[in-house]
Amino acid sequence: MSTATPRPPVPAAAPSVRLIRHGGLCLRLRWRLAALRTLLDGHSFWATGRRPTQLSRMLSGSQVVVSAWQGSTLVGFGRATSDGVFRAVLWDVVVAEEHQGRGLGRRIVEELLASRPVAAAERVYLMTTTGEGFYERLGFSRVDSQRLMLKQSSG
Ligand SMILES: CC(C)(COP(=O)(O)OP(=O)(O)OC[C@H]1O[C@@H](n2cnc3c(N)ncnc32)[C@H](O)[C@@H]1OP(=O)(O)O)[C@@H](O)C(=O)NCCC(=O)NCCS
């Protein structure tokens, strides 16, 4: 007989957390670049210290942007770039720590995947340092046959 301790029930995401898939201008986020910076600075390790002007350009260069709000507080974010046919890449998926483990990250990724530019791509890639298990739960597979190559910009 198994003696495994049953997992405690996972609390559902607060129903008040609202997801927005942004239009091309990302107006709501552009008005709240300080909130985006706070989320990335506080809850990611790779996207800290990005300046508002850089974040603004980043939004312009993304085909899909999803944000999650509890009231006026930004509690989650994710974005994607895509050529609309062959390749799409997910970037910067972040959920504020106090909202993690309640399905919000899944909702953000599913929203990105359901968007037209990403859904149309034959392959969707992402890079992750610590989120492998999370992305496996969402249907992604680790690829060992390819190498990640990097050229750091000098500017
Ligand atoms: C990774 C992150 C986006 C996940 O968001 P989240 O809202 O906590 O995740 P969810 O609650 O939607 O989890 C969805 C599923 O993935 C699983 N999961 C979540 N994080 C996991 C992890 N680190 N390892 C393994 N599985 C994980 C959950 O148990 C859940 O499984 P289930 O559907 O079978 O119940 C969030 O923890 C985060 O922002 N972390 C900090 C930034 C980061 O590390 N981002 C990853 C890119 S490097």
Side-chain angles (χ1 to χ4, degrees):
M1 204 168 92
S2 165
T3 56
T5 315
R7 283 168 64 186
V10 177
S16 54
V17 174
R18 191 161 67 97
L19 248 58
I20 297 179
R21 193 193 294 172
H22 294 268
L25 293 178
C26 299
L27 279 179
R28 182 161 179 170
L29 269 175
R30 278 180 200 282
W31 292 329
R32 303 290 311 279
L33 287 177
L36 179 55
R37 185 178 186 175
T38 299
L39 179 75
L40 295 174
D41 280 353
H43 304 279
S44 79
F45 56 86
W46 67 92
T48 58
R50 295 179 177 178
R51 296 190 300 277
T53 49
Q54 295 175 313
L55 292 173
S56 182
R57 284 205 297 275
M58 177 193 86
L59 295 175
S60 301
S62 303
Q63 280 70 50
V64 189
V65 175
V66 170
S67 62
W69 301 83
Q70 186 163 55
S72 59
T73 306
L74 181 67
V75 297
F77 178 78
R79 66 186 183 96
T81 52
S82 174
D83 60 24
V85 188
F86 299 113
R87 300 289 185 262
V89 188
L90 307 191
W91 304 100
D92 298 333
V93 174
V94 180
V95 171
E97 208 169 318
E98 57 276 23
H99 288 267
Q100 290 177 10
R102 297 175 173 191
L104 186 53
R106 175 188 287 278
R107 285 173 64 196
I108 292 171
V109 171
E110 287 178 346
E111 191 74 20
L112 292 170
L113 295 175
S115 69
R116 186 189 288 256
V118 179
E122 67 182 21
R123 287 188 175 192
V124 182
Y125 290 85
L126 60 87
M127 279 149 263
T128 184
T129 308
T130 57
E132 187 177 330
F134 166 67
Y135 288 111
E136 279 176 349
R137 302 294 303 155
L138 294 171
F140 286 83
S141 308
R142 177 181 161 142
V143 176
D144 289 325
S145 58
Q146 291 180 309
R147 285 289 174 99
L148 176 68
M149 304 289 285
L150 174 68
K151 185 173 190 307
Q152 200 87 37
S153 162
S154 51

